Amino acid sequence: MDYRQIANLYKDELMERCLPFWLTHSPDEAYGGYLTCLDREGRVYDTDKFIWLQCRQVWLFSTLYNRFEKRRQWLEMARLGADFLLAHGMDTEGNWYFALDRQGRPLVRPYNIFSDFFAAMAFCQYGLATEQSRYTDVAMATYNNILRRKDNPKGQYNKQISENRPLRSMGFSMIMANLALEMESLLPPEELDRILDVCVHEVMQLHLDDQIGLLYEYVLPDGGRLDCFDGRLLNPGHGIEAMWFMIDIALKRNDQRLVEQATKVILDTLKFAWDDEHGGIFYFMDVKGNPPQQLEWDQKLWWVHLETLVALAKAYRATKQQACLDWYQRVHEYTWLHFADPQYGEWFGYLNRQGQVLLSLKGGKWKGCFHVPRGLWLCYREFAQLAQNQKQQTIKKAR
C-alpha cells in the first residue's frame, strides 16, 4: 500500500474541497458566528445557530492553526465564532445554551451538557492559538462546571425518572476522555491522570461486554444490563469513536494491552454492524437482534464512517494488524464512493440503507464543520506518519 498516496488524498480533500466550502459559505459577517444550515451548494436555508456546531467549528479552525499550519485565515475564522459565543452562548450561571437565533438570542435552554463539552474544547484550543488566558479561563470554568454537573447532566431538564431506571450513558465518559486529552496543557498532571483513569474504567469495564466485544450505550451504574430498548442499544459509531479515544490514551501511557483491547472492539463492532447486503455501517442496532426503537436505525451516516476510518487508521498504525488494514480499505471505498461530493465540496451526511443520498444538505442542526474535516485531517496525519516510518525503514535496510 502506498501510504503517501493515501495521505495526500485526504490532505487534498481537506484543503481543496472541504475547508473552502466552510470558509466561503459559513461565516456570518453581519452578526458573528457561523451559518451552518447549508444546502448542497452552500446556500443558507436556516439561520438558527446551534452551540454544538458553533463550538466545534471554533475548535476545528483553532486546532488546525495550532497543530497543522498557522494560517491567519483559520485563526480569523475561529475568532468569528469565539467572539459570538462569548457574547451570547452562556446563561448567567455559566451553562451553555443549546440553540440561538441568528442575532444570538437564546432559543433553547442549556439542557444538554455536550454544549459545555464542545465549548471547553473550543476555548482551550482558541486560547492556545491566541495565547490569551481569558479564553483558556473560559475553558477551565466550563470544564469545572461539567464536573459539577456530571452526576445529573441534564439537571431540571431530565425527562427520565432515574430512580426507577438509573441508566448511565457511555456518551459522557467517551467525550470526557476526549476533552481531557484536548485540555492536557491546562490540567494538572494528577487531574488528567484521574480523569483518564475514570473514563477508561467506565468505557472498558462498565460499558464493554468482553464476551461479545461490543459496547452497550446504556448500562446500570455498576455496569449491569437491562433487557429494554435502551439497555439493548448499540450505537456502532459511538463505540468505534470511543475506541480511538482509548487508543490515544493507551499510546500516551504506553499501554499496549489497552491498544490491543480497543482494536479488538473496533473489529468486533464492524463485524456486527456492517451491512452485508448493501454495505456501510448501521446507525443503531439492538444487541439481541430485536427491532430498534430508532426508526432511522438502518441509515448510513457520515460521522459513523469517518470516525471508523480514523479508528482503523490509528489501530493499524499502533498494531500493524492486517485485519485493520483490510477493514480500512473496505470502509474507505464505501465512504468515498457514497459520501464525498467532488462537484460542490464537503460531504453528504445522510444516506438510506442502499447508499443513496437521503438528504443533500451539507450542514444542518447536527452536521457542521467537524467530523468531515477532522476525519480528513486525522487520516492524513496517520498515513503521513506511516509513510514516514516506511521511508525510514527503507533507508535503514539500504544501509
Side-chain angles (χ1 to χ4, degrees):
M1 172 177 284
D2 188 336
Y3 299 138
R4 178 57 60 185
Q5 184 179 22
I6 297 175
N8 288 338
L9 175 70
Y10 282 97
K11 183 180 180 181
D12 291 347
E13 184 71 13
L14 174 68
M15 300 296 287
E16 297 175 12
R17 283 172 287 280
C18 179
L19 294 181
F21 181 92
W22 294 103
L23 288 163
T24 300
H25 302 297
S26 183
D28 186 350
E29 302 294 352
Y31 295 101
Y34 313 116
L35 298 164
T36 62
C37 293
L38 306 174
D39 70 9
R40 183 185 181 190
E41 298 178 36
R43 292 184 294 253
V44 177
Y45 65 86
D46 196 284
T47 60
D48 285 350
K49 294 172 179 173
F50 306 98
I51 294 295
W52 283 26
L53 303 187
Q54 300 292 309
C55 291
R56 284 172 159 185
Q57 193 156 335
V58 172
W59 174 88
L60 189 281
F61 282 99
S62 299
T63 298
L64 291 178
Y65 180 86
N66 289 334
R67 301 176 183 173
F68 188 28
E69 186 178 329
K70 294 195 179 301
R71 293 196 177 195
R72 176 56 54 179
Q73 185 185 25
W74 294 350
L75 190 59
E76 283 300 306
M77 187 70 155
R79 180 197 59 76
L80 189 66
D83 287 351
F84 179 81
L85 286 165
L86 276 184
H88 306 291
M90 286 182 284
D91 68 10
T92 56
E93 297 178 358
N95 301 307
W96 291 85
Y97 292 112
F98 181 80
L100 314 172
D101 69 7
R102 183 177 183 183
Q103 291 79 7
R105 294 175 298 189
L107 297 176
V108 180
R109 297 183 189 277
Y111 78 95
N112 194 308
I113 200 171
F114 290 111
S115 295
D116 298 67
F117 274 111
F118 297 124
M121 289 172 57
F123 281 96
C124 173
Q125 290 300 320
Y126 185 65
L128 295 175
T130 59
E131 299 181 344
Q132 295 188 33
S133 61
R134 66 191 184 107
Y135 298 117
T136 53
D137 288 346
V138 172
M140 282 305 304
T142 302
Y143 173 85
N144 289 324
N145 197 32
I146 291 168
L147 295 184
R148 285 193 294 271
R149 294 174 58 189
K150 67 181 178 63
D151 293 329
N152 187 15
K154 292 190 177 182
Q156 63 180 312
Y157 307 112
N158 188 2
K159 297 183 295 184
Q160 307 301 319
I161 302 175
S162 56
E163 58 266 30
N164 292 334
R165 185 173 283 174
L167 291 175
R168 52 166 291 116
S169 168
M170 186 179 70
F172 185 96
S173 301
M174 62 175 281
I175 298 299
M176 193 71 205
N178 184 227
L179 174 61
L181 291 173
E182 285 290 327
M183 295 185 64
E184 179 178 0
S185 63
L186 303 184
L187 298 178
E190 61 275 12
E191 170 67 4
L192 178 64
D193 282 340
R194 183 188 71 81
I195 289 294
L196 294 182
D197 285 343
V198 169
C199 293
V200 171
H201 169 74
E202 290 175 349
V203 173
M204 305 306 288
Q205 299 296 323
L206 300 185
H207 288 273
L208 176 61
D209 185 332
D210 267 328
Q211 292 186 335
I212 59 176
L214 300 175
L215 288 152
Y216 285 77
E217 192 70 12
Y218 296 100
V219 296
L220 293 169
D222 63 356
R225 295 168 179 79
L226 286 180
D227 191 5
C228 62
F229 276 125
D230 286 337
R232 296 188 304 267
L233 179 65
L234 297 179
N235 182 333
H238 257 182
I240 292 172
E241 183 181 12
M243 289 305 96
W244 76 252
F245 298 160
M246 294 296 111
I247 290 174
D248 279 355
I249 294 170
L251 293 176
K252 173 181 172 56
R253 294 179 159 185
N254 197 27
D255 185 347
Q256 191 60 29
R257 179 181 176 277
L258 181 57
V259 169
E260 299 290 342
Q261 187 182 24
T263 298
K264 182 178 184 302
V265 174
I266 294 168
L267 297 175
D268 286 342
T269 302
L270 280 168
K271 292 173 189 173
F272 188 84
W274 186 260
D275 184 348
D276 289 325
E277 184 176 355
H278 298 288
I281 304 163
F282 287 119
Y283 189 16
F284 293 108
M285 302 188 76
D286 184 289
V287 72
K288 293 186 176 180
N290 296 316
Q293 63 175 320
Q294 292 83 2
L295 300 182
E296 69 274 25
W297 70 274
D298 65 345
Q299 289 179 16
K300 312 294 167 59
L301 267 67
W302 85 108
W303 71 265
V304 174
H305 293 75
L306 280 155
E307 297 305 326
T308 299
L309 289 173
V310 172
L312 287 166
K314 285 178 177 284
Y316 176 66
R317 186 160 77 89
T319 68
K320 295 299 187 295
Q321 288 188 37
Q322 185 62 38
C324 294
L325 190 57
D326 292 343
W327 268 110
Y328 171 83
Q329 291 174 310
R330 191 175 188 181
V331 178
H332 170 95
E333 290 173 6
Y334 180 91
T335 303
W336 281 81
L337 177 63
H338 294 283
F339 290 103
D341 183 8
Q343 184 173 359
Y344 292 106
E346 240 296 321
W347 285 18
F348 300 115
Y350 303 88
L351 312 177
N352 63 17
R353 181 176 179 183
Q354 290 73 28
Q356 300 161 327
V357 175
L358 193 61
L359 296 171
S360 63
L361 61 83
K362 296 297 176 59
K365 184 176 181 178
W366 304 106
K367 183 180 186 296
C369 182
F370 184 64
H371 286 286
V372 176
R374 183 177 77 164
L376 295 172
W377 170 58
L378 290 175
C379 284
Y380 158 72
R381 196 172 67 172
E382 291 299 315
F383 281 98
Q385 187 60 57
L386 282 165
Q388 181 64 26
N389 294 345
Q390 190 177 56
K391 181 179 179 180
Q392 291 172 350
Q393 289 170 3
T394 302
I395 293 172
K396 189 175 181 180
K397 286 180 182 178
R399 291 175 182 171

